[in-house]
Amino acid sequence: MSTGGKQLVRWWVVCALAGLLTCGILLHATKAVPVDLAVYRAGAEFARAGTDLYAGPVNNGLQFTYPPFSAIVFLPLTVMSLGVAQTVVVVVNGVLLCFIAWRCAPRWWPVVVVVALCTEAVHTSVNLGQVNLALVALVLAAPRVGVGIAAGVKLTPLVFVAHLVVRREFAAASVAGATALGTVGVGFLLLPGDSVDYWLNGMFADSTRVFAEAGSPHNQSVRGMLLRLGVADPLAWVAISAAVLVGAFWLANRVERTHAVALVGMAGAAVSPWSWGHHWVWVVPLIAVVVRELALRRWVWLVPVPFLLATAPPVLAVVNPLEGTPALSSGPLWFVLSNLYLLLLLASMVPVALNALRDHRVSKLGTTQ
């Protein structure tokens, strides 16, 4: 058999194994408890019935924390049972993950899918029936309108509008911003009372409606890290968050789009007042970048690999279990694992920063010659 034939066989073997693993993980997800999907569905039912979305819990003691527009988007869930909705959403999330992986790394997408499903961010998103993967897909597929729609469902994708402004892509930023404002307008048109509560009465800024303890290891953000360190000064949070955004934006301007989406998306999760681990699904394009670069033997991209591996659910459960008492509650290892996604963001910046430094030195050398 020729070399090309052997490579083709190996590729099909990899695809087959990846397909089996992916189907197995997704099948298991249909048996999980879809906590967030149940909240989406209940919120949509409240909206359809004209019941106040934000007056109190909508399902099992959990509150609806999304903009009114998202409740409208979730209305199709109300025409099916929760069990049927769970199966549909698991399949949709599987398709979205494959699309994201293919869009980011066409040659290596099966590998990216499997690795992504082994991270807590994606694994939990799929199990809970989260909308996160749809947001990533929207941003990748439609950098203007998609960003606006994603921001209408969840606020954190607004960070991409800010990045467009920084890049002086004012036309794209205007379209994205106008689309986001359009979703707000749809909310006021169809759910006026809920929109007043959310936008004008400050519900959108109340992170305690997500989880009461902002310093919990569940909160994988700069604010959560500072509170775990005993630093409650909001100025410290603002200053560090601003530094994170400046660094992420500057580095994102030096890389191709897939990598930029990963950096900006992760930075958005970092500076948010509250970020669950599953909000960090922006690791999927990062995984694609890492796989691509390592395939080219660019070994500097080994830097973020230990942090990616540590995002496996059993590892994070040591300090951040969904239920029960954590095995670790203090010490250096606790600090690393309870702030793992932030450290992953920093580690993913290192290769880009080193490349930028190298390019600067080469440019400077060329100038002196």
Side-chain angles (χ1 to χ4, degrees):
M1 183 180 294
S2 66
T3 302
K6 290 180 181 179
Q7 290 179 342
L8 185 61
V9 169
R10 283 198 294 267
W11 172 247
W12 280 111
V13 170
V14 168
C15 288
L17 291 174
L20 287 173
L21 286 170
T22 300
C23 289
I25 294 171
L26 293 178
L27 182 61
H28 182 266
T30 63
K31 310 299 180 184
V33 180
V35 176
D36 290 359
L37 177 62
V39 171
Y40 298 164
R41 185 173 176 274
E45 288 180 331
F46 272 48
R48 189 176 68 175
T51 307
D52 192 340
L53 260 178
Y54 304 110
V58 297
N59 183 264
N60 200 27
L62 298 175
Q63 301 190 63
F64 192 83
T65 60
Y66 295 78
F69 175 74
S70 63
I72 298 167
V73 172
F74 297 144
L75 280 173
L77 296 173
T78 63
V79 301
M80 58 189 89
S81 68
L82 180 60
V84 172
Q86 180 181 19
T87 301
V88 170
V89 169
V90 166
V91 172
V92 169
N93 272 330
V95 172
L96 288 171
L97 179 57
C98 290
F99 167 77
I100 294 166
W102 171 79
R103 187 70 178 247
C104 296
R107 184 178 178 184
W108 299 100
W109 71 269
V111 176
V112 174
V113 168
V114 173
V115 175
L117 282 169
C118 292
T119 65
E120 183 262 353
V122 176
H123 182 271
T124 305
S125 284
V126 174
N127 278 8
L128 295 180
Q130 259 285 341
V131 73
N132 299 315
L133 289 170
L135 306 184
V136 179
L138 279 168
V139 171
L140 284 169
R144 299 182 179 195
V145 174
V147 166
I149 294 173
V153 175
K154 268 191 177 183
L155 299 183
T156 47
L158 284 172
V159 71
F160 289 97
V161 180
H163 182 235
L164 289 171
V165 172
V166 169
R167 287 178 56 88
R168 298 189 177 184
E169 295 183 23
F170 298 121
S174 298
V175 172
T179 303
L181 286 175
T183 67
V184 175
V186 170
F188 271 99
L189 180 66
L190 300 180
L191 299 172
D194 294 323
S195 295
V196 168
D197 286 341
Y198 189 82
W199 294 112
L200 302 184
N201 294 338
M203 288 286 189
F204 71 92
D206 185 5
S207 63
T208 61
R209 299 182 69 251
V210 179
F211 196 84
E213 187 184 347
S216 164
H218 290 309
N219 188 3
Q220 291 284 310
S221 70
V222 170
R223 180 172 177 243
M225 178 192 70
L226 289 173
L227 290 173
R228 288 189 286 276
L229 291 172
V231 180
D233 186 352
L235 290 179
W237 170 40
V238 171
I240 295 175
S241 295
V244 168
L245 285 178
V246 169
F249 286 0
W250 184 77
L251 293 173
N253 289 344
R254 305 184 66 88
V255 296
E256 48 79 35
R257 176 163 164 72
T258 293
H259 197 173
V261 167
L263 287 173
V264 174
M266 290 193 296
V271 304
S272 174
W274 180 280
S275 286
W276 293 98
H278 55 72
H279 290 175
W280 288 77
V281 288
W282 307 99
V283 300
V284 181
L286 174 64
I287 291 167
V289 172
V290 171
V291 170
R292 280 179 358 208
E293 296 299 313
L294 290 179
L296 295 172
R297 300 187 179 184
R298 293 171 179 163
W299 304 123
V300 69
W301 281 96
L302 287 170
V303 173
V305 169
F307 298 96
L308 275 172
L309 294 176
T311 63
V315 178
L316 285 181
V318 173
V319 298
N320 192 19
L322 290 176
E323 296 179 352
T325 305
L328 282 178
S329 57
S330 62
L333 183 57
W334 168 82
F335 178 80
V336 170
L337 293 179
S338 63
N339 299 290
L340 189 62
Y341 284 106
L342 293 172
L343 296 174
L344 173 60
L345 172 59
L346 293 178
S348 68
M349 291 179 169
V350 170
V352 189
L354 291 176
N355 287 338
L357 180 61
R358 181 199 62 197
D359 292 344
H360 175 71
R361 287 176 176 173
V362 170
S363 176
K364 188 175 181 181
L365 181 62
T367 303
T368 57
Q369 289 177 344

